[in-house]
Amino acid sequence: MKPVSFTFPSSDGVKIHVNKWMSGPKAKGIVQIAHGMAEHSGRYADFAAVLTEAGYHVYANDHRGLGKSAGSCEVLGHFADENGWELAVDDMYRLTKLIKDEVPNLPLFLFGHSMGSFLSRTYVQQHGEELAGLILSGTGAGRRVMSSLGILIAKIECWLRGKRARSVLMNTLSFGNFNKPFRPARTPFDWLSRDPQEVDKYVQDPLCGEVPTANFFCDLHDRDQTNGRSRGIGTHSQRTVHFSAVRRQGPSWPKRKRGAQNLSAIQADRHQRRGAEIVSGRAA
């Protein structure tokens, strides 16, 4: 099933790209998806197909600076020069309002994967009353020492090289060890999926794998600390699977639990073909 796509303006004028997959006339709910780092909402088409078959409408925006919301290769991997995280969460909230205007009177569930799970945790602290439930996939607990060090390094890079400079150093520090358990590795992203076809799709997708900017890492690590300190919502962890589904209990949300190491999303530096994909909207 191909999505219906549209855009809406953010609070600072960025055009936010949205994919939606509609179920039948007897839909029983809506799932809003917050995708992960260095990817885009189009990668969730198979997941959306399962959800629509189960009776759920699905909406997913490309976060600002990612996918077709980036607008240009230069912006890919960069939220904003200032308050990027807050703006990304506000984009999600604006989409929620558009969804409820378009499809009223259905329960709305927010699904956040990896970086999207951290955005979702901030979202639920600010706008939890909008949701019937929250699902966190590939999330983690805040590691304050590492986050503080990450913020420091990223801020130094912003000062020395500029906020929009690609931070290969932070990218390596954050994700450089992910592929070690899979040596000898076929690709830099063997850790991403046990399905080699899915790995190849990611590697070949020009809108995936961008090394983020220094300021993006400032946003990510600073908010990671805030989420880790929050009393609002947290994670339940198992040994190998990090997944949490929470239904709102009346007007409040359950208190967070300890757990889960971060299984953030994915990146590597590729520039070829991206400009054409962003402009023409041919991303998978």
Side-chain angles (χ1 to χ4, degrees), residues 155-172:
K155 284 184 176 179
I156 290 173
E157 285 210 298
C158 286
W159 181 65
L160 291 176
R161 302 177 58 234
K163 292 182 176 182
R164 299 194 179 202
R166 304 288 166 187
S167 184
V168 177
L169 174 59
M170 280 299 302
N171 190 67
T172 302

Side-chain angles (χ1 to χ4, degrees), residues 59-252:
Y59 289 74
N61 68 288
D62 288 357
H63 299 304
R64 58 177 48 239
L66 296 171
K68 297 174 191 175
S69 294
S72 70
C73 296
E74 291 72 26
V75 179
L76 201 61
H78 183 74
F79 276 160
D81 290 344
E82 301 290 340
N83 303 315
W85 192 267
E86 289 75 12
L87 287 167
V89 173
D90 184 66
D91 296 339
M92 292 166 59
Y93 177 61
R94 284 171 175 256
L95 176 57
T96 298
K97 290 300 189 182
L98 289 173
I99 293 170
K100 290 191 172 186
D101 286 342
E102 188 171 293
V103 191
N105 305 319
L106 285 177
L108 176 66
F109 299 87
L110 178 59
F111 175 94
H113 173 66
S114 194
M115 181 198 74
S117 76
F118 290 98
L119 287 166
S120 297
R121 286 161 63 175
T122 304
Y123 179 105
V124 78
Q125 293 165 33
Q126 298 176 1
H127 310 294
E129 70 282 353
E130 300 287 348
L131 304 176
L134 172 68
I135 305 103
L136 303 175
S137 166
T139 195
R143 293 171 290 179
R144 296 184 186 179
V145 174
M146 291 303 297
S147 291
S148 297
L149 180 60
I151 293 169
L152 177 61
I153 294 172
K155 284 184 176 179
I156 290 173
E157 285 210 298
C158 286
W159 181 65
L160 291 176
R161 302 177 58 234
K163 292 182 176 182
R164 299 194 179 202
R166 304 288 166 187
S167 184
V168 177
L169 174 59
M170 280 299 302
N171 190 67
T172 302
L173 291 173
S174 299
F175 309 106
N177 292 327
F178 278 27
N179 231 28
K180 283 186 177 179
F182 303 96
R183 289 176 177 172
R186 187 176 63 89
T187 76
F189 300 101
D190 283 14
W191 62 270
L192 178 64
S193 173
R194 64 183 180 181
D195 185 344
Q197 291 185 347
E198 290 301 318
V199 174
D200 290 344
K201 278 193 214 176
Y202 182 86
V203 171
Q204 295 164 11
D205 191 328
L207 297 183
C208 292
E210 180 65 60
V211 172
T213 64
N215 205 55
F216 179 96
F217 280 109
C218 285
D219 286 329
L220 179 64
H221 284 278
D222 186 40
R223 187 52 58 178
D224 185 30
Q225 282 196 315
T226 302
N227 282 338
R229 291 191 300 266
S230 169
R231 296 180 182 178
I233 191 71
T235 64
H236 174 73
S237 65
Q238 300 178 9
R239 181 172 293 274
T240 57
V241 178
H242 302 275
F243 190 88
S244 180
V246 184
R247 185 179 290 273
R248 194 174 72 187
Q249 299 173 353
S252 63

